[in-house]
Amino acid sequence: MAQTMLELVLVTTGRRHLESSWPSSYLTALFAGAALGYGLVSYWAIRLEKTVIIKVINSLRAKWFKLFLTKRLKENNLQEKGGLIAKISYHLPLLSTGLSNSLFGAVRIVGLLLTLLAICLYWGPSFLWPFFVGVFGLAISGLAGYLMARRYIIQETTFYSKIIKTVDSAISDWKFVKNYRREQSIFSDFNRLVEYDSYFRVRRDIWLKFGSVVLFIIVLAAGFLTNTGSGSWGTFYGSISSDNKFAAIVISLYLSRLIYEGLRVGLYSIPFSLGLSLSIPPSSPGPWRKQRKASFGAIIFTSSK
């Protein structure tokens, strides 16, 4: 909320400077104070966000480690050990990435939408159309990011976890591997998993970084069309005065930020949901709850849910 208010102060001060209805000394002091406050609030927000995420991840890591140590000896085998290493080295960082880019990204989107709506209303009813364009672009980019994440990131998560478990299993049972000459088969499996993981990891980075390139081109095209003073952009903005050019620049920046944040939230929504499902430790049943076992031939199902 503080960032939103300070951004509005910066935008309105810039417009007042163009109108020259206030003394320039007052506008300069107000703009400098708002810029300084905006920088401090943004720094505090980033620091708070990272601190919260790190504390959550450290707490979950400690719970998983304690859960592993308190198990009975026969319950901890090589598979459980590999799962714990995969959990600490990949699943928890996956949740951390999802929290930063998806959950806090959604919070940033709300702030951007409120700021864009206030700016559009401040410039007048004729400038309200960029807000609806931003909402539409946000929905499209978010949906595209989600579909790409569902196609690529789920496979990447699966293969990376298998890589960690394969390495841990080979190192933990190294004598068995040497005695039965399994080095070549394990190494072949490892190379296959690395190749698949690299493929999906490259695809994810391509879409995320290429999205910023597309947005940069859109902003440049919007500025070019606005400065022509003719065509559809000219009818939306009216006469291309200094005030309208300033409005076009500000609104274009907010539209590009909205669309890019939507792409990030969509791309990291899958890691966020996967990280939650993989990183939350199971709750121990209370003394009033009994473990139920249903036996069907040779298969035994055990669950506390």
Side-chain angles (χ1 to χ4, degrees), residues 97-109 265 268-269 272:
T97 303
L99 283 171
S100 178
N101 292 281
S102 185
L103 182 62
F104 286 97
V107 176
R108 287 190 291 268
I109 285 176
V265 170
Y268 287 96
S269 59
F272 178 55

Side-chain angles (χ1 to χ4, degrees), residues 83-123:
L84 177 65
I85 294 177
K87 194 82 61 182
I88 293 177
S89 60
Y90 187 63
H91 295 166
L92 289 174
L94 189 71
L95 176 60
S96 175
T97 303
L99 283 171
S100 178
N101 292 281
S102 185
L103 182 62
F104 286 97
V107 176
R108 287 190 291 268
I109 285 176
V110 173
L112 288 173
L113 283 174
L114 292 175
T115 309
L116 180 60
L117 179 60
I119 290 174
C120 292
L121 292 175
Y122 172 69
W123 249 281

Side-chain angles (χ1 to χ4, degrees), residues 35-249:
L36 178 61
Y38 181 72
L40 293 175
V41 169
S42 300
Y43 171 79
W44 178 78
I46 295 172
R47 181 175 179 178
L48 180 63
E49 173 188 330
K50 297 302 179 183
T51 302
V52 169
I53 292 175
I54 288 175
K55 287 188 175 182
V56 169
I57 299 303
N58 287 343
S59 174
L60 290 174
R61 185 183 294 114
K63 288 182 179 180
W64 276 110
F65 189 50
K66 181 179 179 181
L67 186 65
F68 182 83
L69 291 178
T70 54
K71 283 185 177 181
R72 290 178 296 180
L73 185 60
K74 64 179 182 180
E75 293 177 341
N76 278 334
N77 49 32
L78 290 178
Q79 185 177 2
E80 291 289 330
K81 177 187 174 185
L84 177 65
I85 294 177
K87 194 82 61 182
I88 293 177
S89 60
Y90 187 63
H91 295 166
L92 289 174
L94 189 71
L95 176 60
S96 175
T97 303
L99 283 171
S100 178
N101 292 281
S102 185
L103 182 62
F104 286 97
V107 176
R108 287 190 291 268
I109 285 176
V110 173
L112 288 173
L113 283 174
L114 292 175
T115 309
L116 180 60
L117 179 60
I119 290 174
C120 292
L121 292 175
Y122 172 69
W123 249 281
S126 61
F127 282 86
L128 195 58
W129 66 270
F131 175 75
F132 298 104
V133 173
V135 173
F136 179 75
L138 173 66
I140 294 298
S141 63
L143 179 61
Y146 171 76
L147 293 177
M148 287 182 285
R150 191 175 64 177
R151 182 175 181 181
Y152 296 122
I153 296 181
I154 291 179
Q155 289 91 333
E156 175 196 326
T157 304
T158 303
F159 287 119
Y160 194 83
S161 299
K162 289 182 178 179
I163 289 172
I164 296 174
K165 291 182 179 180
T166 300
V167 172
D168 177 71
S169 177
I171 294 176
S172 300
D173 212 3
W174 182 75
K175 290 184 178 180
F176 175 83
V177 174
K178 296 297 291 183
N179 291 335
Y180 290 91
R181 298 179 181 179
R182 296 289 307 277
E183 299 95 337
Q184 190 59 41
S185 62
I186 292 177
F187 191 64
S188 299
D189 292 339
F190 174 80
N191 284 336
R192 178 178 58 85
L193 293 173
V194 168
E195 183 178 355
Y196 284 140
D197 174 72
S198 301
Y199 172 81
F200 293 114
R201 195 176 296 272
V202 167
R203 292 301 181 276
R204 180 194 62 180
D205 291 343
I206 284 175
W207 284 109
L208 185 61
K209 294 177 181 178
F210 184 68
S212 62
V213 175
V214 172
L215 291 176
F216 178 70
I217 295 174
I218 291 175
V219 172
L220 286 182
F224 175 79
L225 293 174
T226 302
N227 288 324
T228 59
S230 60
S232 58
W233 282 77
T235 60
F236 279 121
Y237 285 111
S239 60
I240 305 301
S241 61
S242 298
D243 188 31
N244 286 337
K245 286 182 179 181
F246 182 67
I249 293 172

